[in-house]
Structure formats: structure tokens, C-alpha cells
């Protein structure tokens, strides 16, 4: 749930590292999907030879795993880490919903990964990320005053609304709702899902 592709391109005057390659792979996933991750196009994009790639990775699959691990780590740190300072659980949920709603690149990467769930490297990452998100939502709803079962149901509903919204946009070929319409939708979701005091 973070704008992963927003990172600056590596300094080509310096030597590329494995993180540069992993970030470039994530950028390509956001643009063209998991199947597009290949050594030659990435080397061209980074302005280096394929030899640079093989210095860091033994195979394309190893690069894909590194890219997915990078996405998972950045998602964990940037989303959940940024919300730690918000003491009130309802305000934390509001901040989470706002943060998630406005991270477009993260939505695109997540959508592309959902399309590639049959890939053996993708499924475990999506499974871990989804479980972590559900656990976080459940804990937040518990802290906001819901009982254990109600908090679990509300967490599933919130997460299903997120995944369903992304899937609906893919099916209907909507890149984004108009700004005002989207903001009204986000406010409605928060009013519906976040318990009142």
C-alpha cells in the first residue's frame, strides 16, 4: 500500500545494486504485469548490460522473488509503520483508509499480482500480505471497541471492499474514478466500516 514506483532511478554513474534491479522489476510489474519481467528489457531500461543483472541474480525468477520481497517489505514499513503514531484507533483506521485510497501505484502492483496468483513466487507473498493486512484491520477494529468476532467480520469486509474495488476497476477498465466521486466513495466506506464512538 505504498507508491513503490515513485523512487528515483538509480544513478547510472554509480554501480547498480540488487535493489535497483528489484525496483526496476516492480516498476515493470506496475506497467505491464509479472510476465513482462525479463532481463533484457530491464537492462535496457537501466542503461546497463545483462552482465550487471547476472552479477546480482542467478535467474529471472530470483529477481522476481527479490522484487516481491521488496514490495512486501516496503508495504509493511510504509503503511503500518506510518500509522503507529496515531493513538486513537478510529483515527488510525481513518488514516489507513485515506493512505490506502491514495496510493495508486500500490493498487496497480497489487492488481497485477492478483492476476498472477498462479505464479509460485507470487501466491505466498500475496498470502502473507493479505493475512498481515487482515490481522492489522482486526486488531484495529478490536481497539475501536468491537468484539473479536465482529472485528474479524469487519476486517474481512473492509479488505474485501478494497480487493473488490480493484477487481471491479479491472473488469470495467476504469483506471480511476473522477476525484470527487472517488473521495465521496472513500468517505462512504469509512462511514460504513469504522465504528462510531
Amino acid at each position: 500500500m505504498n507508491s513503490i514506483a515513485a523512487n528515483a532511478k538509480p544513478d547510472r554513474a554509480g554501480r547498480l545494486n540488487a535493489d535497483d534491479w528489484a525496483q526496476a522489476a516492480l516498476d515493470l510489474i506496475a506497467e505491464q504485469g509479472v510476465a513482462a519481467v525479463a532481463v533484457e528489457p530491464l537492462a535496457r531500461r537501466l542503461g546497463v548490460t545483462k552482465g550487471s543483472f547476472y552479477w546480482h541474480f542467478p535467474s529471472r525468477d530470483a529477481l522476481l522473488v527479490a522484487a516481491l520481497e521488496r514490495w512486501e517489505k516496503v508495504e509493511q514499513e510504509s503503511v503500518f509503520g506510518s500509522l503507529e503514531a496515531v493513538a486513537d484507533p478510529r483515527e488510525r483506521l481513518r488514516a489507513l483508509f485515506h493512505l490506502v485510497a491514495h496510493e495508486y501505484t500500490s493498487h496497480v502492483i497489487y492488481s497485477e499480482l492478483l492476476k498472477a496468483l498462479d505464479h509460485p513466487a507470487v501466491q505466498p507473498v500475496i498470502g502473507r500480505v493479505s493475512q498481515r493486512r487482515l490481522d492489522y484491520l482486526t486488531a484495529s477494529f478490536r481497539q475501536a471497541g468491537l468484539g473479536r468476532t465482529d472485528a474479524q467480520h469487519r476486517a474481512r469486509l473492509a479488505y474485501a471492499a478494497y480487493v473488490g474495488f480493484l477487481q471491479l476497476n479491472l473488469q470495467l477498465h476504469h483506471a480511476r474514478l473522477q476525484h470527487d466521486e472517488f473521495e465521496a466513495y472513500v468517505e462512504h466506506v469509512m462511514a460504513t466500516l469504522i465504528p462510531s464512538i
Side-chain angles (χ1 to χ4, degrees):
M1 302 180 175
N2 178 24
S3 184
I4 304 234
N7 293 347
K9 295 239 187 238
D11 177 10
R12 288 189 182 85
R15 183 174 278 239
L16 292 178
N17 61 36
D19 282 343
D20 296 326
W21 280 95
Q23 183 59 54
L26 279 176
D27 294 343
L28 198 56
I29 289 170
E31 294 168 18
Q32 300 175 32
V34 171
V37 175
V39 178
E40 284 190 39
L42 285 170
R44 279 194 304 274
R45 177 179 282 222
L46 292 168
V48 297
T49 66
K50 290 191 302 183
S52 171
F53 169 81
Y54 290 108
W55 181 261
H56 300 290
F57 299 100
S59 67
R60 179 246 188 213
D61 284 342
L63 170 63
L64 183 58
V65 167
L68 295 173
E69 286 173 354
R70 179 179 175 85
W71 176 75
E72 184 177 8
K73 180 180 179 216
V74 170
E75 289 279 301
Q76 172 75 15
E77 292 171 357
S78 65
V79 173
F80 301 126
S82 69
L83 298 172
E84 290 299 314
V86 182
D88 181 87
R90 288 171 191 83
E91 287 306 311
R92 190 176 328 113
L93 282 164
R94 287 188 64 78
L96 174 64
F97 283 38
H98 274 291
L99 180 66
V100 169
H102 296 96
E103 288 293 340
Y104 181 73
T105 301
S106 181
H107 300 323
V108 173
I109 291 172
Y110 188 77
S111 294
E112 291 300 332
L113 294 178
L114 288 177
K115 289 189 230 177
L117 276 176
D118 59 340
H119 192 287
V122 173
Q123 196 285 324
V125 172
I126 290 294
R128 285 191 306 269
V129 167
S130 295
Q131 189 59 57
R132 191 177 303 117
R133 291 172 175 180
L134 282 167
D135 291 347
Y136 186 87
L137 284 165
T138 299
S140 295
F141 284 123
R142 291 282 316 266
Q143 293 165 359
L146 296 181
R148 185 180 61 81
T149 301
D150 287 343
Q152 289 173 332
H153 292 324
R154 191 76 57 104
R156 285 188 193 108
L157 183 59
Y159 198 58
Y162 167 70
V163 175
F165 184 78
L166 296 179
Q167 189 64 35
L168 186 61
N169 281 346
L170 287 172
Q171 289 174 348
L172 299 178
H173 305 291
H174 292 160
R176 294 185 191 194
L177 293 177
Q178 294 297 321
H179 176 76
D180 291 344
E181 183 181 3
F182 180 71
E183 293 302 323
Y185 171 74
V186 172
E187 286 299 323
H188 178 76
V189 168
M190 289 190 295
T192 302
L193 294 176
I194 298 174
S196 57
I197 295 175

